[in-house]
Amino acid sequence: MTTIPSIIEELDQLRPVSDVAGKVLSLLDDSGCGMSDLADIIRHEPALTANLLKLANSAYFGLPGKIGDAKQAIVYLGMTQVVDLILLVSCADTFKGSHSGYGLDRGALWESAICAAILANALSEKKGFKSTGLTFTGALLRDIGKVVIDQHVKSAMPQIMERVETQHISFMAAERQVLGVDHAQVGAMVAKRWHFPPLLQCIIRYYHTPLQADGCFTEASIVHLADAICRKMKISPGVDDSSYEEDERIAHSLGLNETVINGVIGEFSEKMEHVRTLFLAG
């Protein structure tokens, strides 16, 4: 039988994102750090540097000339986007497996993470929210809790689905009834255990319910919308996707109307093949 203590024990068994990702996240939380601090972290990680330069020189970004080092990549792409790419590289191994409890084949959770992160970034730009608000990272890591409790969900699937269907509640609410916790709560536990910035912990905890978020409403709302767009576009759908309902109040509160959101969807659809080739191959 699943118990909350047994789930908490598994948090320590989940391999954390790399040390360099932790250092980079700490930079986002320190207004005194800048480009040279980020470049110093990257230059001590040869594999990371190689992957970063591969991405920076791809057709996806269309930068002029050849980017030869980390500092040059930061100059052309900007510090925030380079941080995003570092986190993409660092988190891949955690998400790329299969997660059958949620009906996700190998790589499906990773595809959802990548696409939601890019969509969250696009929504942030439409909102004019260009600070290091961690919306990209929040969307990327929003379902880290699913990695932890996947097998528990698989074992409890009959009970969970019975509650979804008979009580007309979300899959996440049914998770709480059956397991004692839901994947967003577990994700926030992971974020706290890995010493992520408090804002990022908040986003992961409340992205499904941003109206309840205290201190990260805007960021959690953007990630919520990115997650909803992934479902609308049927990007790596899982068994829980059909149980969530969109709350129109969230987009309205951000000043993002249907026209703007459809524009984001259209722009993303046009570069979806580039995204698959660059970030999801292998």
Side-chain angles (χ1 to χ4, degrees):
M1 178 178 175
T2 299
T3 63
I4 293 177
S6 70
I7 291 173
I8 291 174
E9 280 182 18
E10 291 188 30
L11 297 179
D12 290 327
Q13 297 175 27
L14 181 65
R15 189 166 74 89
V17 295
S18 68
D19 289 341
V20 68
K23 293 176 183 176
V24 165
L25 281 170
S26 69
L27 286 184
L28 293 182
D29 212 31
D30 185 350
S31 59
C33 292
M35 183 176 73
S36 60
D37 299 289
L38 180 58
D40 283 343
I41 291 174
I42 298 170
R43 69 185 178 87
H44 289 105
E45 300 285 341
L48 175 63
T49 299
N51 281 316
L52 174 62
L53 295 181
K54 174 186 173 184
L55 295 174
N57 285 304
S58 69
Y60 181 85
F61 291 105
L63 296 179
K66 186 79 171 175
I67 305 302
D69 59 55
K71 185 166 284 189
Q72 192 178 12
I74 297 170
V75 168
Y76 278 102
L77 291 173
M79 185 166 164
T80 299
Q81 193 158 60
V82 169
V83 168
D84 291 344
L85 292 178
I86 291 170
L87 293 170
L88 284 178
V89 172
S90 301
C91 295
D93 289 344
T94 301
F95 283 90
K96 278 190 173 179
S98 62
H99 301 89
S100 56
Y102 288 92
L104 298 168
D105 294 333
R106 181 172 179 78
L109 192 63
W110 182 229
E111 179 177 38
S112 175
I114 291 283
C115 293
I118 294 172
L119 285 163
N121 194 59
L123 289 167
S124 294
E125 290 181 354
K126 296 294 183 184
K127 166 82 177 154
F129 188 62
K130 296 183 179 180
S131 65
T132 54
L134 292 177
T135 52
F136 181 98
T137 310
L140 182 72
L141 297 174
R142 74 195 192 286
D143 283 334
I144 188 69
K146 288 185 176 181
V147 177
V148 176
I149 64 172
D150 177 67
Q151 290 305 308
H152 296 291
V153 167
K154 185 176 182 178
S155 300
M157 184 58 69
Q159 299 98 301
I160 291 174
M161 292 309 301
E162 188 270 336
R163 284 163 173 76
V164 169
E165 293 164 4
T166 61
Q167 298 180 31
H168 305 291
I169 58 177
S170 72
F171 192 94
M172 192 169 74
E175 281 179 332
R176 286 196 301 274
Q177 288 189 11
V178 176
L179 302 179
V181 289
D182 61 55
H183 63 269
Q185 290 173 325
V186 174
M189 292 177 194
V190 173
K192 184 175 182 179
R193 183 103 14 142
W194 289 353
H195 306 292
F196 287 172
L199 179 60
L200 183 52
Q201 296 177 36
C202 181
I203 295 169
I204 294 170
R205 170 65 182 87
Y206 291 107
Y207 83 91
H208 273 302
T209 55
L211 294 174
Q212 298 175 21
D214 182 14
C216 66
F217 170 74
T218 299
E219 295 87 351
S221 295
I222 289 171
V223 173
H224 175 90
L225 290 176
D227 180 73
I229 291 172
C230 282
R231 289 198 302 276
K232 186 174 184 177
M233 296 181 71
K234 300 188 184 305
I235 295 171
S236 298
V239 294
D240 59 326
D241 280 8
S242 62
S243 76
Y244 300 111
E245 294 183 2
E246 283 188 59
D247 190 332
E248 294 181 359
R249 293 175 297 173
I250 294 170
H252 179 73
S253 69
L254 292 174
L256 298 172
N257 59 33
E258 187 174 354
T259 301
V260 172
I261 292 174
N262 285 337
V264 169
I265 293 173
E267 291 168 6
F268 181 72
S269 297
E270 291 177 3
K271 57 185 180 183
M272 188 64 187
E273 278 310 306
H274 288 301
V275 171
R276 292 184 191 281
T277 300
L278 182 58
F279 298 114
L280 302 171

